[in-house]
Amino acid sequence: MKAPRRSAGLLLFHHTGDGPEVLLGHMGGPFWERRDAGAWTVPKGEYEPDEPAWDAARREFREELGLEPPDGEAVPLGEVRQANAKIVTAWAIEADLDPATVVPGTFEMEWPRGSGRVQQFPELIRVEWFGLDRARSLIVKAQAEFLDRLEERVG
């Protein structure tokens, strides 16, 4: 049996007068461009079995946002299994980040499918801070568990 694909990421959070906010990224590429609910994610990416998940989370942060991952205490949020069977591991770090400073990485794919044309797309088309309730309505369904775990740990 083929091992499930694995991704790792960092969920930034900070406190406001209205409670915690989290930084989510809207996925790039033609599949997601007209969607909102379910199109937002923890900045993350896939890694190979021989790479530690923590190292992958930090590497993917750099690749997806074009910024160094922040220092600070990493709060483990565990794993979730998404509908596509991918297992995602995440850590939360309290930090401030100005979304305007993000320089998203890119990926290539054949688009339209079967056309033979390879196009480049941003990994994330934008990043934004959201309160937990709004984030729950936008994030990939399985990843909402990360928001619940964060809320339990940092309130």
Side-chain angles (χ1 to χ4, degrees):
M1 183 176 180
K2 187 176 165 188
R5 295 178 320 171
R6 294 186 161 270
S7 283
L10 301 179
L11 177 64
L12 298 192
F13 72 96
H14 63 206
H15 294 280
T16 70
D18 295 326
E21 288 185 336
V22 293
L23 186 77
L24 299 180
H26 187 290
M27 291 183 272
F31 299 120
W32 304 105
E33 66 187 350
R34 290 188 176 85
R35 298 180 188 181
D36 209 28
W40 292 80
T41 183
V42 171
K44 60 168 183 47
E46 290 188 19
Y47 64 99
E48 297 299 323
D50 61 339
E51 182 179 16
W54 171 248
D55 293 347
R58 294 179 58 79
R59 175 182 52 76
E60 286 294 334
F61 189 92
R62 273 185 221 96
E63 289 178 12
E64 298 237 334
L65 302 180
L67 302 170
E68 285 300 311
D71 292 326
E73 180 186 351
V75 178
L77 299 177
E79 296 180 345
V80 299
R81 182 180 295 269
Q82 296 185 161
N84 63 3
K86 182 186 290 182
I87 297 172
V88 180
T89 305
W91 289 264
I93 297 179
E94 186 169 5
D96 281 314
L97 182 148
D98 180 354
T101 62
V102 170
V103 182
T106 60
F107 68 96
E108 290 184 343
M109 67 180 278
E110 180 185 22
W111 190 257
R113 277 194 179 157
S115 68
R117 250 178 73 208
V118 175
Q119 294 188 52
Q120 198 169 69
F121 299 95
E123 295 273 359
L124 301 171
I125 57 172
R126 65 184 181 278
V127 297
E128 291 183 35
W129 290 99
F130 296 103
L132 293 179
D133 288 341
R134 180 73 175 130
R136 281 186 188 93
S137 72
L138 295 171
I139 199 166
V140 171
K141 188 175 182 180
Q143 291 181 32
E145 182 66 28
F146 292 141
L147 304 178
D148 296 342
R149 294 172 189 170
L150 176 67
E151 190 170 34
E152 288 172 8
R153 289 169 176 82
V154 302

